[in-house]
Amino acid sequence: MSVRLGDLIRPARTKQLGPGDPFPILSMTMRDGLVDQSTKFKKRIASVDLSPYKVVEKGQLVVGFPIDEAVLALQTRYDKALVSPAYAIWDLDDSKVYPRYLELFLRSPRAIEFYKARLQGSTARRRSLPAGVLETMVISLPALAEQQRIARVLDGADGLRDFSDQTSHRLEELEESIFVHAFGDLVANERGWPVVRVSDFVARFSSGKSIVGLDESADATRPRVLKISAVTSGRFREFESKPLPAGYEPPASHLVSRGDLLFSRANTRELVGATAYVDVETRDLALPDKLWRFEWPAIPRTLPVFVWKMFSRPEVRAAISDVATGSGGSMKNVSQSSVLGLRFALPALEYQQEFVDKIAHADRSRSLITARKSILDEFFASLQHRAFEGRL
């Protein structure tokens, strides 16, 4: 049986914060749904007027931005909490629909295509669905017991993906621990390593051209230009790119190759200076102007993988952030001279090599996990499709 979403959900009556209500503050993330941001929020803003915030009760559905990426979740953490006034809150008729089944459906590729086709607005992160449109979506609705079974199957498959993510994260933590054990804090330099300028081991930074990539509907065979998000996680993400316009062919000096170390010269204060090592073979993938490539001197004093891990350390990232400039609250920039002029402790090449050899084992394990995760993602997508077509 198929029904309109409007038969299962209705806009919740907005409840504003009352005097003295000590409710936690939740915000939305893509993967984790609603996350408690109470402590972080209060530290960031000294005096906050929370009166516009909405009260969301346990079991209600919260829809945030960008809806075309299925940023939504059930509020299951607290009896009552606060969310941004920009979020929409919905009540569910749980006599007809199992809440987790609905949540999984609304995050499925089928639902996302529905959102994308009907969005209005000019700002990418604030495009929204016109009033009444969400309710017109059609959902396959088996009996409640069958909805519960489908949700268990999909959650089981999703749990395997989460386990892969957790394992990969633990390997990251292991590499960080190995770095600290080997070298300590490269700013405080309690080990007494020689202190040098970045310009002593980096010849310069090179970049590409400021050019607007095309939508994915463009010719898939076109060379592509990286987005800043290709490096913000600290891992190279080649899929974070867009096709280049027809008629523009990037020069060879702008193309990215395996073994390159890339650096984000512009981003938020927290993300400026993000660094990622290109550990895959690439083809026709160009640098933008906001990503730099490390260029090394004729006689190298460092190994690229070591510098990658060095520039990922919190103390080094903080030093880079401190020299970033910009009047805007969201976007900061660093200049080549400011980065090249920074001073850090630098262990000798032999110690760098020992470190790189040690983490090579963790990197090989991560590669296997990444391959496994790709297979699990395909498996989960297949299950989703079958589940909401009534064939699971």
Side-chain angles (χ1 to χ4, degrees), residues 315-333:
E315 64 271 17
V316 175
R317 291 290 300 276
I320 295 169
S321 183
D322 286 343
V323 298
T325 61
S327 57
S330 59
M331 187 64 73
K332 300 292 183 182
N333 291 271

Side-chain angles (χ1 to χ4, degrees), residues 186 189 193-196 201 301-302 306 310 344-348 352:
L186 296 182
N189 194 23
W193 303 109
V195 176
V196 301
F201 60 90
R301 296 184 61 183
T302 53
F306 168 81
M310 171 186 178
F344 300 116
L346 185 69
Q352 296 177 36

Side-chain angles (χ1 to χ4, degrees), residues 169-179 355 359 362:
H169 179 66
R170 286 175 183 146
L171 285 171
E172 293 276 3
E173 292 177 336
L174 174 62
E175 290 183 2
E176 292 177 9
S177 177
I178 293 172
F179 189 100
F355 166 74
I359 68 167

Side-chain angles (χ1 to χ4, degrees), residues 50-186:
L50 297 177
S51 59
Y53 274 60
K54 297 177 181 177
V55 177
V56 56
E57 298 181 352
K58 182 174 285 189
Q60 290 181 317
L61 177 71
V62 181
V63 178
F65 293 101
I67 183 62
D68 54 324
E69 295 180 343
V71 178
L72 53 90
L74 293 169
Q75 201 285 94
T76 58
R77 299 174 64 97
Y78 304 102
D79 290 335
K80 292 183 179 180
L82 297 180
V83 293
S84 165
Y87 294 166
I89 302 174
W90 300 82
D91 288 321
L92 279 58
D93 185 348
D94 55 13
S95 68
K96 296 179 181 178
V97 64
Y98 181 58
R100 180 57 178 160
Y101 174 86
L102 178 63
E103 184 179 24
L104 288 164
F105 171 79
L106 293 175
R107 289 179 173 178
S108 70
R110 175 179 164 187
I112 292 172
E113 287 305 311
F114 178 93
Y115 310 143
K116 286 183 175 179
R118 294 162 178 80
L119 288 170
Q120 292 184 1
S122 57
T123 305
R125 289 192 61 82
R126 283 294 178 264
R127 291 182 300 166
S128 60
L129 292 175
V133 170
L134 185 64
E135 296 96 312
T136 66
M137 186 188 303
V138 174
I139 176 173
S140 175
L141 198 71
L144 275 172
E146 178 65 4
Q147 294 177 41
Q148 292 171 356
R149 185 190 72 83
I150 290 171
R152 285 196 299 271
V153 171
L154 291 178
D155 279 339
D158 201 27
L160 293 175
R161 299 196 303 161
D162 283 340
F163 180 76
S164 293
D165 287 338
Q166 292 167 15
T167 304
S168 183
H169 179 66
R170 286 175 183 146
L171 285 171
E172 293 276 3
E173 292 177 336
L174 174 62
E175 290 183 2
E176 292 177 9
S177 177
I178 293 172
F179 189 100
V180 173
H181 182 266
F183 308 120
D185 186 317
L186 296 182

